[in-house]
Amino acid sequence: MSKSSTSSQGSLTCGLDRAAKENKPTTIVVFGASGDLAKKKTFPALFHLYQRKLLPSRLSIIGYARTHMSPEEFHKRVTSTFASDADKSSVEGFLKLCTYVSGKYDVAEDFQALRTEIEKGEHVLECSGSSDRVRVYYLALPPSVFVDVATQIKHNVYDGSCTNRVVIEKPFGHDLESSRKLSTDIGALFDEAEVFRIDHYLGKEMVKNILTLRFANVFYEAVWNRHYISNIQITFKEPFGTEGRGGYFDQFGMIRDVMQNHLLQVLSIVAMNQPKSLGAEDVRDRKTEVLRRILPIQLEDTFLGQYVASADGSKPGYKDDETVPQDSITPTFAQCVLHVDNDRWRGVPWVIKAGKALNEAKMLIRIQYKDMPNALFPNLARNELVLQVSPKESMYIKTIVKEPGLSTKLAMSELDLSYKTRYHNVNIPDAYATLILDVLNGDHSNFVRSDELDEAWRIFTPLLHQIEQEHIVPKPYEYGSRGPEGAYQFVEDRVGYKRTELEYHWEAPK
């Protein structure tokens, strides 16, 4: 295989241990190192990769935040969410890589001190001035300081003689205008090839499996179109509310927090045409192509809700949080109908829905096929392909069969691939570990490109502005319920989803 074809294969086929094998001297700077995201996601992900020997051995990890901490306090915070049975020698070895610098996010002198610390570490790694060096700047920060920190990095830390990569967390703006300004500001500082916009749902195992499922199996791709599919639903459910973070959540709401990014990214992978290759730009070209064909969402195709206290009063309502304004109309539940106007999907409605304080934790993709034409048997149920992304990775096809024995009665069963029962003793990594590894490998396949981001906001911004300007009041629903009354009927009426008339219940593996 030629060098060019090898390098275009993307994350599905490139060696996971590429960064470890190349062993380029690498510095990872985690900005916001004292925050929850770094504590709960970034450092545990790095430790997971360390345990799997997927990090370069010539590595320095530097935490940077405003909080003053001693090395011992920093190390305690880094390990505070590690598994209680984590191997002690591995933890000790990992912590030897970790140092801490305290500084403000808009003070040049503090970033110059950070640069000194980076260079000191590179000297220890015996790579000072080498062009093989890699510097990763991970911004585990609120969006209000993205540009300040990026500016300070470029002016006081950035080294053009080595590889620089900047990792940015969502939200990427508040609407189309603010997103474009953020992209312009970041683009003025860094090349697009240096920017990695993280959407952690793109690192989830089942989402990463969609391309393989579709394009490695002839029978799936053959029926992956408007001729066979009736409707598609992408659902995200959380069993908890804002839990004291209502004031922060109220600035964004469910549409901005989950739908415009996570769920729309999943939709683009499900809907995209086959890319020319598994190279990052070919994949992202196809995703962007789909987004460009999605019409802006209309208010009449939207159903909004906001949770109130549970029936027994044990769980508070959204506006019971003292940080949430009493007149808030911010939705904690939303479902929207989208339409992809291309030859593959024209006429097939897509539903994306997300909610907090619901009856269960679940994220899944449900593809419902059309009724069998000229059916020999009555159309009592439709085939469905269900991909459960979380909490337990699984895939099953709802299939009509004859009940065993002398009966000719029809029954609904499934062809089931549940990861837990099929893949024994396989440790599926957290999405953040997968994506950080992609950053180290320089693979953009699972990161959001600026034009993708622009199209995503184009789809949602008119709706968001209309909701706010017309003061659309969301329907109430009880904490722990399945959502607002009428939400399920809305889907049946709007997209023609058909419930089975056969008794059926899929059981997740124990």
Side-chain angles (χ1 to χ4, degrees):
M1 184 178 286
S2 69
K3 181 178 179 181
S4 60
S5 60
T6 302
S7 64
S8 70
Q9 291 303 295
S11 62
L12 287 178
T13 53
C14 79
L16 291 176
D17 59 351
R18 186 170 74 198
K21 282 184 174 179
E22 292 180 350
N23 198 26
K24 294 180 179 179
T26 301
T27 302
I28 301 173
V29 183
V30 180
F31 293 93
S34 63
D36 276 355
L37 178 60
K39 179 179 73 172
K40 295 178 180 178
K41 295 295 184 181
T42 313
F43 289 122
L46 287 167
F47 180 59
H48 176 87
L49 297 175
Y50 175 80
Q51 288 182 299
R52 295 280 300 275
K53 302 187 186 309
L54 293 173
L55 296 177
S57 61
R58 293 194 289 172
L59 175 69
S60 172
I61 300 172
I62 302 173
Y64 184 97
R66 290 178 291 213
T67 306
H68 291 283
M69 287 189 283
S70 67
E72 294 75 20
E73 289 172 325
F74 175 59
H75 286 172
K76 183 177 180 180
R77 187 163 188 85
V78 165
T79 60
S80 61
T81 58
F82 287 8
S84 58
D85 59 350
D87 179 71
K88 289 185 178 180
S89 63
S90 294
V91 173
E92 290 172 0
F94 179 74
L95 290 178
K96 288 178 181 178
L97 304 175
C98 299
T99 57
Y100 181 72
V101 175
S102 173
K104 295 182 179 179
Y105 294 133
D106 57 355
V107 176
E109 291 78 11
D110 291 347
F111 279 78
Q112 290 161 7
L114 172 62
R115 180 181 181 118
T116 300
E117 186 68 21
I118 293 173
E119 291 173 344
K120 186 171 75 173
E122 290 175 341
H123 180 74
V124 171
L125 297 175
E126 299 180 348
C127 64
S128 299
S130 168
S131 61
D132 279 345
R133 292 169 296 136
V134 176
R135 292 182 180 181
V136 176
Y137 313 107
Y138 193 117
L139 276 58
L141 295 165
S144 58
V145 296
F146 280 175
V147 176
D148 284 344
V149 172
T151 301
Q152 293 296 337
I153 290 172
K154 186 58 185 280
H155 293 162
N156 297 295
V157 182
Y158 186 93
D159 186 340
S161 68
C162 70
T163 298
N164 295 269
R165 295 169 184 155
V166 182
V167 183
I168 302 176
E169 284 278 353
K170 77 170 187 73
F172 312 116
H174 195 259
D175 57 12
L176 182 58
E177 182 181 359
S178 60
S179 173
R180 283 179 173 171
K181 185 179 187 312
L182 178 60
S183 291
T184 299
D185 291 343
I186 297 296
L189 299 167
F190 302 100
D191 293 337
E192 181 68 19
E194 295 177 314
V195 179
F196 292 74
R197 298 174 189 83
I198 265 198
D199 185 320
H200 74 274
Y201 262 72
L202 294 179
K204 288 186 175 289
E205 176 66 28
M206 188 56 75
V207 174
K208 289 169 70 72
N209 201 11
I210 293 172
L211 287 184
T212 307
L213 177 73
R214 290 189 55 192
F215 301 120
N217 297 287
V218 66
F219 52 90
Y220 286 119
E221 183 59 12
V223 294
W224 209 274
N225 56 62
R226 62 187 172 89
H227 300 296
Y228 297 96
I229 291 175
S230 169
N231 59 85
I232 299 177
Q233 298 181 54
I234 302 174
T235 302
F236 171 92
K237 302 171 75 174
E238 286 182 334
F240 48 83
T242 54
E243 313 299 322
R245 297 180 69 248
Y248 175 80
F249 179 85
D250 203 68
Q251 302 173 55
F252 301 99
M254 208 65 198
I255 296 176
R256 289 184 174 96
D257 192 44
V258 173
M259 298 173 73
Q260 178 273 338
N261 37 67
H262 300 329
L263 301 193
L264 196 61
Q265 281 293 314
V266 173
L267 183 154
S268 70
I269 297 173
V270 176
M272 64 185 275
N273 287 324
Q274 181 171 319
K276 294 177 183 178
S277 75
L278 291 174
E281 297 314 311
D282 287 338
V283 172
R284 299 201 292 182
D285 283 346
R286 287 305 198 194
K287 288 169 59 188
T288 306
E289 181 182 275
V290 166
L291 295 176
R292 286 179 179 144
R293 305 303 299 175
I294 297 178
L295 305 174
I297 301 170
Q298 303 299 308
L299 183 61
E300 56 266 26
D301 288 331
T302 305
F303 192 101
L304 306 175
Q306 187 185 87
Y307 70 87
V308 297
S310 59
D312 62 3
S314 62
K315 294 290 186 180
Y318 177 66
K319 288 191 283 193
D320 292 333
D321 184 333
E322 61 183 18
T323 65
V324 175
Q326 286 303 296
D327 60 351
S328 172
I329 57 166
T330 300
T332 60
F333 174 98
Q335 57 186 16
C336 301
V337 180
L338 295 83
H339 302 275
V340 182
D341 186 27
N342 64 12
D343 288 342
R344 182 187 287 265
W345 297 114
R346 191 170 292 115
V348 177
W350 296 69
V351 180
I352 56 176
K353 52 185 174 181
K356 286 185 171 293
L358 296 173
N359 61 319
E360 61 183 337
K362 183 178 288 186
M363 195 278 170
L364 58 78
I365 304 158
R366 183 181 302 276
I367 301 172
Q368 185 174 74
Y369 286 85
K370 294 181 177 180
D371 290 323
M372 176 72 77
N374 305 314
L376 185 62
F377 296 95
N379 282 313
L380 298 177
R382 289 175 170 176
N383 298 126
E384 291 184 3
L385 170 62
V386 181
L387 309 176
Q388 182 156 309
V389 177
S390 62
K392 296 178 180 179
E393 294 86 355
S394 56
M395 177 179 75
Y396 56 97
I397 303 175
K398 293 171 67 173
T399 306
I400 301 169
V401 298
K402 184 189 82 67
E403 281 191 350
L406 299 176
S407 170
T408 58
K409 185 178 178 182
L410 300 180
M412 181 65 86
S413 187
E414 73 278 324
L415 304 175
D416 188 354
L417 168 61
S418 294
Y419 277 44
K420 187 174 182 179
T421 55
R422 177 65 179 85
Y423 302 111
H424 302 290
N425 302 318
V426 173
N427 180 18
I428 297 176
D430 180 79
Y432 277 89
T434 301
L435 294 174
I436 289 174
L437 185 60
D438 284 343
V439 173
L440 294 173
N441 287 330
D443 182 4
H444 279 86
S445 300
N446 298 304
F447 295 85
V448 182
R449 203 167 60 188
S450 60
D451 54 348
E452 285 183 76
L453 184 60
D454 202 65
E455 291 299 327
W457 279 118
R458 175 192 60 79
I459 293 164
F460 278 96
T461 293
L463 172 68
L464 289 164
H465 286 178
Q466 186 176 1
I467 290 170
E468 291 159 0
Q469 290 165 7
E470 297 183 13
H471 203 78
I472 305 299
V473 179
K475 295 183 181 296
Y477 63 96
E478 291 180 355
Y479 194 122
S481 68
R482 299 184 69 185
E485 184 178 350
Y488 282 85
Q489 191 63 44
F490 175 88
V491 172
E492 292 181 16
D493 293 344
R494 290 279 174 172
V495 308
Y497 178 74
K498 184 177 179 180
R499 296 189 178 279
T500 178
E501 296 178 34
L502 299 173
E503 184 176 344
Y504 175 79
H505 178 67
W506 180 75
E507 293 186 5
K510 299 286 192 291

